[in-house]
Amino acid sequence: MPDTHLPPRMTGQGDRVETQQPIGDAVKTTTCYMCACRCGIKVHLKDGRVRYIEGNPDHPVNRGVICGKGSAGIMTQYSPARLQAPLKRVGPRGAGEYAEISWDEAMEMATGWLREVRATDPRRLAFFTGRDQSQSLTGFWAAQFGTPNFAAHGGFCSVNMAAGGLYTIGGSFWEFGEVDWDHAKYLVMFGVAEDHDSNPIKIGLGKMKGRGAKFVSVNPIRTGYSAIADEWIGIRPGTDGLLVMALMHELLRTDRVDLDFLVRYTNAAWLVVRNPGGADDGLFVRDAEGKPLSWDRVAQAPADAATPDMQPAIVGDFTLPDGRRAVPVFQLMAERYLGAEYAPAAVAERCGVPAERIIRLAAEIADVAFNQTITLNQPWTDALGRRHETMVGRPVAFHAMRGISAHSNGFHTCRALHLLQMLLGAIDTPGSWRYKSPFPRPIPPGPGPAGKTSAPNTPIAGNLLAFPHGPDDLLVDEAGNPLRIDKAFSWEAPLGLHGMMHTVIHNAGAEDPYPIDTLFMFMANMAWNSAMNPLETIRILTEQKADGSYRIPHVIYADAFFSETVPYADLILPDTTYLERWDCISILDRPIGSSHGPGDAIRQPVVKPDRDVRPFQDVLIELGARLGLPAFVKEDGSPRWKDYPDYITNHQRTPGVGPLAGWRGADGTKKGVGEPNPDQLQRYIENGCFWQHKLPPEQGYFKQANRAYLDDARAMGMMGQSNQIVLQIWSEPLQKFRLAAEGHGAKQPPDRLRGRIRTFFDPLPIWYAPLDQQAQDAAAYPLSAVTQRPMAMYHSWGSMNAWLRQIHGANRLYMSRATAERQGIAQDDWVWVESRVGRVKGQVALMEGVNPDTVWTWNAIGKRAGAWQLSPDSPEAERGFLLNHVITEWLPAQEGFRSANADPVTGQAAWYDLRVAVTKCTPGEAAQTAPHPTTLKAPPNMPAVPGILRRPGR
């Protein structure tokens, strides 16, 4: 009987209790853009305005999880920093003097400048985009325009990671791969901050910890993921490669390597020619058809390395039928990493990790890999036709990101980490690191970069950002000079796969290798960038010639917000927010695939703009039509596409392959390859704005050699062939560059770069001290200085978000308490941080969880006064600071030549190589960050800076 003393509503006998009232009158799905994680979200609306944002539980990326950034998207949508209309500069650059103009006038101005460039010398357009996710469109547009000078942010973000992986295993960390969260028993994470793949990593770590798996984090700083690691290794920045090679040394020394995996899936048994000084030295031994050869131990003769069930030699010195000497790759690898210089005792001091700890870490990894194997009862057939009744895995996984990438030795560090995975047999096996579809790709993927020739009014055929196979693919003239303004794909950065965005403005200002006419940027806050020196960038953007004209005559900038770069542009094209436009997270570009299968997604407009703004993709497509770019117009000259949704639906890069892989074909029944479907976008919307293809169990692992997977990947247009992808321990493309430096081949590097190419293009990973550190006095600058993005911030735009500002309104310089106390520095002291190029002032916070020889801060918090519609005395401007003021993009000049402070292989900006000295300010110097540039003037008709910024409706 119910208790009659309780109110009826508490007994279940009364009226129904409503625990949640409706938030709004409509809910729409789309894809978040508060970071690059690309989570699915549900946006609740009322009267056409955003009321609430939550995670989409059906979305494969985040499965309903949403972080603080994603939830705070509502405050980005209604930020007073949103640009209101197109703007034309009417005063000096940097003065902030603009007039609002119509879109017709803005498009006429842009078209006029660009038409003149295209008709004379298309190279004089430099088109560089920031953290956008439509690079398949922007790169295609640049090629149609005819300029080779296109790239995005990857050159200062993660090109070392991408190139190191794509030239070694046909994939890479983060966007190209992920941990097998369901089976891994041991995870080692290198240099991963909280911003990359945030929600999936948090979900995965929760799974692992729930199963009792061990999580080791190697990072100079113990925040975020490192803070919940079972073991934190506070390594010295830039020495990760040494630690990895010491682990390899221990595995080889103790004979704890997976020889079966190495023979079947890597080039460990391929023969390498030993002919010092010869043109073939270090190249693979091949037959008449170009197939690599191994030494057959039974036949005692070279044989096709892909011969099923051959017993190849992995050590030895062999004489070939033509008299040449050759040795297997494995022997070359073992000889190098068994060397005394890679022993734990030899690297311990430089890494800041005791030798005993390195030895113990290697033993733990080997124990899990070889004594705790995982066997799945899943039959599969490999690419050579061999049937396997089970899938056997080494449950040791690795993950890495910018912490090892943004160093001038990062390419080889990334490659070394992949070699460590190979030694363990821990690539795409149960419990290890796994490829995300559409990876793996052939090594290296596809043809070399396009852009060797550029002619007026003529498109460039091919991809501008592609994969050199050797010196013949470089974009250099007959004298060896760069053909691109950023010098990517030249002898200065031969594998500059993502371009070198951080060098564009400086090179254009120096007219090296040639002057440009128009700098066209999208979502690239180059005047306040994480990898570039702000004041030097501003100086170049405002530099004038003797006749009063600007060194860079025209600057066009497209963005949604009033950033620090807006005042330095001549024409502003205001973009929409991510909740106001269509976007395509394309399988041609940066898809949302997982190890369980390929996938892609869209953004749909969930609210209408309340300003005179246009989606940048629509603007670019219209510019393409106005300029008559062949792919953007029909035969009669009329626009081929009316807008970006039309382009997404109907553009085909190759027959049947378009931006989206789902619901292709006239009736929407095809996937990957099929005719355009006029209802495709609607099908995506009905499915929550994403598409996902789940691989059958037979294709789940060993994708690099899984016959069923490779055949289906080819059928779906994800790769052009279905041959086994052999993992590359010894990199022949790198050796080809080294041979050129030794005088072989038709293309030769300039003499001043021969030694550099010979040294850094080693076909096996090497370690060297970061280049900028080699060029300066270590005693004068004894501390490494690095930055991280905080969990609650991602891009520059985070610091103008009213909710996120409450978490990070200013940043501190974090120091080891013991290091600070030795220098007489206390909590909250103001300090000068000085490098060889300048100094910056900030406030200190002391902590234990940091390498004692390292200082660090959050990046993108400090703002220039007046920008982002923040009050000039905002904490972001008064107490926030950027380490960028002490970063340089350039190494010290050497005999009149300036080399980028970058990885010599890929051109990756080496902003984590920074070395500094920290000194306490005098009492009169405290209270405000420095340098402190003048307050920026807001464009006309911007909303007033609010005293209190509230959510709409409150």
Side-chain angles (χ1 to χ4, degrees), residues 876-927:
E876 289 83 357
E878 293 291 297
R879 293 187 288 110
F881 66 94
L882 292 182
L883 276 184
N884 305 52
H885 293 295
V886 294
I887 289 175
T888 175
E889 301 95 296
W890 305 95
L891 296 175
Q894 304 160 29
E895 298 179 0
F897 167 69
R898 295 195 79 189
S899 179
N901 179 22
D903 190 292
V905 179
T906 66
Q908 160 96 51
W911 43 304
Y912 279 10
D913 288 349
L914 178 64
R915 299 283 291 187
V916 301
V918 177
T919 55
K920 187 175 178 178
C921 291
T922 64
E925 293 176 325

Side-chain angles (χ1 to χ4, degrees), residues 134-142 617 620-621 632 644 647 653:
S134 53
Q135 290 166 29
S136 64
L137 168 64
T138 52
F140 180 63
W141 188 94
Q617 293 90 340
L620 199 62
I621 287 169
F632 287 78
Y644 192 42
Y647 172 92
R653 188 58 54 90

Side-chain angles (χ1 to χ4, degrees), residues 748-810:
Q748 300 281 303
D751 288 343
R752 60 178 171 79
L753 293 175
R754 285 188 186 276
R756 170 180 163 125
I757 297 294
R758 189 183 302 114
T759 298
F760 298 120
F761 278 76
D762 196 302
L764 285 175
I766 58 174
W767 186 86
Y768 47 92
L771 301 183
D772 192 43
Q773 296 178 17
Q774 293 182 35
Q776 58 184 290
D777 180 4
Y781 304 106
L783 299 173
S784 290
V786 296
T787 62
Q788 289 193 135
R789 286 199 185 107
M791 186 74 78
M793 298 285 186
Y794 179 68
H795 209 286
S796 302
W797 58 62
S799 285
M800 53 81 179
N801 184 293
W803 289 353
L804 300 180
R805 289 183 66 204
Q806 297 177 59
I807 303 172
H808 294 286

Side-chain angles (χ1 to χ4, degrees), residues 436-438 592-599 692-695 703 709:
K436 285 184 179 183
S437 296
I592 59 164
S594 74
S595 56
H596 304 288
Q692 182 185 35
H693 169 66
K694 293 186 177 180
L695 299 175
K703 297 183 189 73
Y709 175 81

Side-chain angles (χ1 to χ4, degrees), residues 631-693:
F632 287 78
V633 294
K634 299 176 183 177
E635 291 184 0
D636 63 1
S638 62
R640 185 175 299 276
W641 302 292
K642 63 180 181 180
D643 53 21
Y644 192 42
D646 190 13
Y647 172 92
I648 294 172
T649 302
N650 294 303
H651 172 62
Q652 296 184 76
R653 188 58 54 90
T654 58
V657 176
L660 293 173
W663 296 287
R664 297 198 66 80
D667 59 359
T669 59
K670 298 179 181 179
K671 59 179 181 288
V673 179
E675 305 81 6
N677 170 16
D679 296 323
Q680 188 181 40
L681 290 177
Q682 183 59 37
R683 296 295 299 273
Y684 272 81
I685 292 171
E686 292 167 357
N687 197 57
C689 290
F690 69 91
W691 167 83
Q692 182 185 35
H693 169 66

Side-chain angles (χ1 to χ4, degrees), residues 590-612:
R590 312 181 69 170
I592 59 164
S594 74
S595 56
H596 304 288
D600 54 23
I602 65 167
R603 294 188 182 94
Q604 64 162 325
V606 298
V607 292
K608 294 181 179 180
D610 56 2
R611 311 163 316 285
D612 189 14

Side-chain angles (χ1 to χ4, degrees), residues 294-502:
S294 296
W295 189 266
D296 188 331
R297 291 188 295 150
V298 175
Q300 285 295 298
D304 182 352
T307 304
D309 301 318
M310 177 182 63
Q311 297 183 33
I314 61 169
V315 295
D317 192 327
F318 305 100
T319 301
L320 303 173
D322 60 10
R324 293 180 299 170
R325 287 180 53 238
V327 297
V329 165
F330 181 86
Q331 175 162 319
L332 296 171
M333 176 176 61
E335 287 175 352
R336 171 164 294 180
Y337 302 114
L338 281 171
E341 65 269 35
Y342 298 114
V347 309
E349 194 281 328
R350 280 175 292 176
C351 294
V353 183
E356 297 77 10
R357 195 176 190 187
I358 299 173
I359 293 169
R360 191 252 305 160
L361 186 64
E364 287 183 2
I365 290 171
D367 176 66
V368 174
F370 299 107
N371 297 334
Q372 302 180 41
T373 56
I374 291 177
T375 301
L376 303 181
N377 293 318
Q378 176 58 57
W380 67 288
T381 301
D382 68 29
L384 300 184
R386 296 172 293 207
R387 181 71 171 172
H388 305 263
E389 296 305 317
T390 60
M391 291 179 166
V392 179
R394 313 290 184 191
V396 177
F398 296 87
H399 186 64
M401 200 46 214
R402 189 184 298 116
I404 67 171
S405 188
H407 292 284
S408 55
N409 57 17
F411 172 78
H412 280 288
T413 295
C414 295
R415 286 207 72 226
L417 187 50
H418 292 311
L419 264 62
L420 176 60
Q421 292 175 282
M422 290 187 226
L423 287 177
L424 295 166
I427 293 178
D428 213 66
T429 64
S432 70
W433 175 90
R434 304 173 68 187
Y435 296 104
K436 285 184 179 183
S437 296
F439 295 89
R441 295 275 174 80
I443 305 171
K452 291 183 178 180
T453 59
S454 182
N457 295 321
T458 305
I460 294 173
N463 292 324
L464 299 178
L465 302 178
F467 305 91
H469 292 235
D472 290 344
D473 289 327
L474 291 182
L475 302 185
V476 294
D477 63 19
E478 292 300 319
N481 300 311
L483 294 177
R484 288 176 53 112
I485 187 67
D486 61 355
K487 303 187 181 182
F489 304 117
S490 76
W491 289 108
E492 296 182 33
L495 301 189
L497 309 185
H498 291 169
M500 298 173 66
M501 189 170 179
H502 45 290

